[in-house]
Amino acid sequence: PTSTTSLPRKDVKVGVISPTSKAKDKETPPRPKKMDQVEALVDNIQALSGSTEDLAKLHTELKVAEELLQRNSVGLSASLAVLDAETHSLGYLYILDAQSKSADVPKDIFIQAVRAFLPKCSPEQVRLAPGKFAEVCRAFKQGCMDAGQPGLAAHPLRTAIAKIQPSKDFLTPQHADFLQACLLAKLYKPAADLLMKDDIFEADPTATGIVPSDFLLYCYYGALILIGVKEYTKAMELLMHAITAPALSLSAITVAAYKKFVVVSLIANGSVLGFPRYTSAVVQRQLKNLCQEYSELASSYKKNNITDFQKCVQQYSAVLTTDGNLGLVKQCIESLYMRSIQRLTQTYLTLSLQDIATAIGLPSSKDAERRILRMINAREIHATISQKDGMVSFMEDPEQYNTTSTLGLIDDQIHKMMTLHNKVALFDEQVSTSRTYISKVMMKERHGRFGGVDDFEMSIEH
């Protein structure tokens, strides 16, 4: 018997692979799953960057995808190329954050990307992730500093401040970064303009991502900028804010701020104010122990003896040099000469240049003349010098303060005071109606005092 076997159908090819299909397999290998996930995330960034509800969904997805982005940080530049910095700011921000934390991404590529992003990014979107925005800006500043170009970060960071601020009243983490970049690049004017023109009243971590160290650094760097442009009164104000910030432990920033405060106070006022009552007890106690050399300087300055003060400076020159304050302390010597001359104006109507030089310990009448002329130009004293006999005549201030410019200045100050009054009244209302304050008041009524002072203080990291 013959066996029958079923034959294959003519339209079905069994076990035949065409050469074309082999070529296709070689040309299109399967894509890595991770890259597919990144592409899907980029697609979602493009699709969900519209409405408020979509942005909320996108934000949640980006938080979950942070690890994915960091694992694929090297290839993310291609993702940025298909995104728009303004339209897709939130997704763009998370990608930049992943790049900032990767050692494999060239720093110059990251710096260029951030410089392109900050002027264009949407304020509404970056305010959804203020902490991420602060981290990216800080990494950008650090990258510019490491490259030896801190000035490259100044203008973009100034733009970043405006992007994250709900209003000009708010302090942001970018303030400290901007001031540090300007300080290192010696760009004093733009930094001083920010400090002198914009009054800060609010520090909201939820809105801007600010932390206590940002506040301390803003005060410290801001004071250094103002010292550089000789705005000593405003510098003292910022330093005092750093010293009196609520604290459970002493910060190195606070120590440095206090040392600067002592020296600047001597230059500006000739004496050092004591700690305000609201200064943390821990801060007061430890500053006195850690800054004894500066207390000695202040005590020596008060004696109005230039020779003794110079000896004190020489004694502590090593400490002053280590702290970076020796140059500033030398300005105290000049201010001591200036105050000695000012005291002479309160006693004498006329005095020779030689007598002035002898009285304040200058080597010659030429040194006395040079200092007196500088003080006249700065309107620190009102006097005339006779070139014929070298006599100095001291006068009262001739300014009558009745000019149009003076009246305009007074009017501006009145408006500022009214604005400040309204803000203080608003803050007072907010505090008095807050649940925390009301609970403290009730506790006082029950126990006759407020709770422990630590309740009012926040810890500040070293």
Side-chain angles (χ1 to χ4, degrees):
T2 59
S3 60
T4 60
T5 57
S6 60
L7 297 175
R9 290 172 48 190
K10 292 182 179 180
D11 58 340
V12 178
K13 297 180 180 180
V14 180
V16 178
I17 302 176
S18 68
T20 307
S21 64
K22 289 183 179 180
K24 287 182 180 179
D25 287 344
K26 290 181 180 179
E27 290 175 4
T28 56
R31 293 182 56 82
K33 184 177 180 181
K34 292 179 181 177
M35 291 307 297
D36 288 341
Q37 291 175 332
V38 172
E39 287 187 359
L41 180 63
V42 171
D43 290 341
N44 284 345
I45 291 172
Q46 292 174 318
L48 298 175
S49 294
S51 66
T52 303
E53 294 77 9
D54 285 345
L55 283 170
K57 294 177 184 177
L58 176 61
H59 196 192
T60 301
E61 185 173 337
L62 288 168
K63 289 178 182 178
V64 174
E66 282 191 70
E67 186 178 348
L68 171 68
L69 291 172
Q70 290 178 18
R71 287 199 306 266
N72 296 274
S73 57
V74 176
L76 291 179
S77 294
S79 301
L80 291 179
V82 301
L83 295 176
D84 180 74
E86 182 177 3
T87 307
H88 312 120
S89 298
L90 185 60
Y92 212 103
L93 176 63
Y94 268 80
I95 291 175
L96 287 175
D97 178 64
Q99 288 188 324
S100 72
K101 296 172 181 176
S102 172
D104 299 324
V105 177
K107 292 303 178 185
D108 58 330
I109 299 296
F110 171 72
I111 289 172
Q112 291 173 10
V114 177
R115 289 190 71 201
F117 171 69
L118 290 178
K120 297 178 181 179
C121 66
S122 162
E124 292 75 15
Q125 291 195 32
V126 296
R127 287 174 193 166
L128 295 173
K132 277 282 179 282
F133 192 65
E135 290 176 10
V136 168
C137 289
R138 188 143 298 167
F140 168 65
K141 175 209 68 177
Q142 190 63 48
C144 292
M145 288 168 51
D146 293 342
Q149 295 180 299
L152 201 64
H155 183 68
L157 288 173
R158 182 67 181 89
T159 303
I161 291 172
K163 295 283 186 178
I164 199 65
Q165 274 183 315
S167 74
K168 287 189 175 182
D169 291 349
F170 281 77
L171 182 65
T172 72
Q174 290 75 25
H175 275 85
D177 293 331
F178 168 71
L179 293 174
Q180 185 184 16
C182 288
L183 188 64
L184 294 174
K186 293 181 170 41
L187 299 173
Y188 291 96
K189 189 178 185 307
D193 287 344
L194 173 73
L195 293 164
M196 298 300 290
K197 293 179 181 178
D198 294 349
D199 292 324
I200 299 296
F201 295 99
E202 301 249 10
D204 186 349
T206 305
T208 63
I210 193 170
V211 296
S213 59
D214 294 326
F215 172 75
L216 294 178
L217 289 172
Y218 164 77
C219 294
Y220 184 70
Y221 292 141
L224 295 184
I225 290 288
L226 293 170
I227 290 169
V229 297
K230 298 189 181 303
E231 290 286 350
Y232 296 124
T233 302
K234 181 70 173 178
M236 288 170 57
E237 180 183 326
L238 286 177
L239 292 169
M240 182 56 77
H241 287 324
I243 295 165
T244 58
L248 294 176
S249 60
L250 187 63
S251 166
I253 304 170
T254 306
V255 175
Y258 180 72
K259 292 176 179 179
K260 284 284 190 299
F261 178 78
V262 170
V263 181
V264 175
S265 296
L266 295 178
I267 295 172
N269 297 333
S271 61
V272 181
L273 296 174
F275 294 106
R277 291 181 59 187
Y278 50 84
T279 309
S280 167
V282 174
V283 169
Q284 292 188 54
R285 183 171 58 255
Q286 295 191 22
L287 282 179
K288 289 177 181 178
N289 294 332
L290 294 172
C291 305
Q292 292 181 358
E293 297 87 354
Y294 289 83
S295 299
E296 291 291 333
L297 283 173
S299 299
S300 178
Y301 191 98
K302 288 173 63 177
K303 297 175 183 178
N304 297 317
N305 188 307
I306 295 173
T307 303
D308 288 347
F309 183 71
Q310 288 175 324
K311 289 179 180 178
C312 188
V313 172
Q314 184 63 34
Q315 180 183 351
Y316 298 121
S317 60
V319 174
L320 297 172
T321 302
T322 302
D323 294 339
N325 290 330
L326 184 59
L328 200 57
V329 170
K330 288 181 177 179
Q331 294 185 42
C332 291
I333 298 174
E334 288 298 313
S335 73
L336 199 52
Y337 281 120
M338 179 194 73
R339 286 194 166 78
S340 298
I341 293 173
Q342 287 176 331
R343 280 194 298 274
L344 293 177
T345 68
Q346 299 169 7
T347 306
Y348 301 95
L349 292 176
T350 58
L351 204 61
S352 70
L353 288 170
Q354 186 57 54
D355 288 340
I356 293 173
T358 303
I360 65 176
L362 289 171
S364 68
S365 60
K366 287 292 185 183
D367 290 312
E369 182 179 15
R370 178 168 52 83
R371 283 178 168 81
I372 290 172
L373 286 173
R374 188 168 64 235
M375 293 176 70
I376 291 172
N377 290 333
R379 300 181 64 83
E380 292 166 347
I381 61 171
H382 303 281
T384 58
I385 301 175
S386 172
Q387 294 299 319
K388 182 179 179 180
D389 53 12
M391 296 298 292
V392 181
S393 300
F394 300 115
M395 302 176 293
E396 296 292 332
D397 185 357
E399 177 63 65
Q400 298 298 312
Y401 301 100
N402 56 1
T403 62
T404 304
S405 59
T406 302
L407 293 175
L409 181 62
I410 294 173
D411 187 58
D412 288 342
Q413 293 301 316
I414 291 173
H415 282 292
K416 285 184 178 180
M417 291 304 103
M418 291 174 63
T419 302
L420 180 60
H421 173 269
N422 292 335
K423 288 183 180 296
V424 171
L426 178 61
F427 290 151
D428 180 69
E429 181 181 352
Q430 291 174 347
V431 170
S432 60
T433 56
S434 71
R435 183 174 301 176
T436 304
Y437 176 78
I438 292 172
S439 66
K440 291 290 181 182
V441 171
M442 294 176 65
M443 184 185 299
K444 180 183 178 181
E445 291 176 350
R446 287 197 302 267
H447 302 287
R449 61 179 179 84
F450 279 99
V453 69
D454 292 351
D455 294 341
F456 290 97
E457 297 180 334
M458 61 183 177
S459 61
I460 297 178
E461 296 178 359
H462 286 270

